[in-house]
Amino acid sequence: MRIPLLLGSALASLTLSTALQAPGVSAVPAGRLLASNCFQCHGTNGAGPGFDRIAGKSANEIFEEMKEFQSGKEGNGIMAKHSWGYTDDQLRALSTWFAQQPKTALRSAP
C-alpha cells in the first residue's frame, strides 16, 4: 500500500509549502514570466536593445501581431516560431505585460 503513503506525503508537502509562503507577497504576473522568453530581442520589459520596442504599445495591437505571426501571414521567421508556442491566454497575458511597461526614449546614434 505505497500509493496512499505517497499521496499523503505529496499532500503534506503541498500543504506545508503553501503555508510557508510569506504573507503579503504577491505572485509574479504571468506575463512577466512569459516575457523572459523575449529578452534577447525585446528585453523582458519590451524596451530592450534589439528589434521592435513593444513597451507601452496597445495590448490588443501586440496580441493581434502575435496572432498574425501564429497564422503564418508574416512568414515562417523566428517570431512565427516563437508565437506557435503560446496559447491565446498566454498571448493575452504577455501582451498585457508589455502594454503596461513604460516606453523609454530611443537612443540616438552618436
Side-chain angles (χ1 to χ4, degrees):
M1 291 289 156
R2 291 182 152 263
I3 292 175
L5 179 61
L6 291 175
L7 289 176
S9 295
L11 184 57
S13 176
L14 178 62
T15 303
L16 181 59
S17 67
T18 303
L20 293 176
Q21 291 179 354
V25 175
S26 62
V28 175
R32 170 61 181 92
L33 294 174
L34 294 168
S36 65
N37 292 319
C38 309
F39 81 97
Q40 285 292 107
C41 299
H42 301 287
T44 56
N45 65 355
F51 301 90
D52 190 16
R53 290 173 184 256
I54 53 180
K57 269 181 138 175
S58 156
N60 287 332
E61 184 180 354
I62 296 168
F63 177 80
E64 290 302 322
E65 287 175 359
M66 293 298 290
K67 292 303 290 179
E68 285 182 17
F69 285 121
Q70 273 187 341
S71 73
K73 288 181 185 176
E74 298 292 324
N76 195 19
I78 193 161
M79 282 303 300
K81 294 192 184 339
H82 279 294
S83 68
W84 293 338
Y86 294 103
T87 65
D88 283 357
D89 287 342
Q90 290 172 323
L91 288 178
R92 289 199 188 284
L94 188 59
S95 300
T96 300
W97 169 258
F98 283 128
Q100 293 171 347
Q101 301 311 299
K103 292 181 180 180
T104 58
L106 294 174
R107 286 181 253 154
S108 57

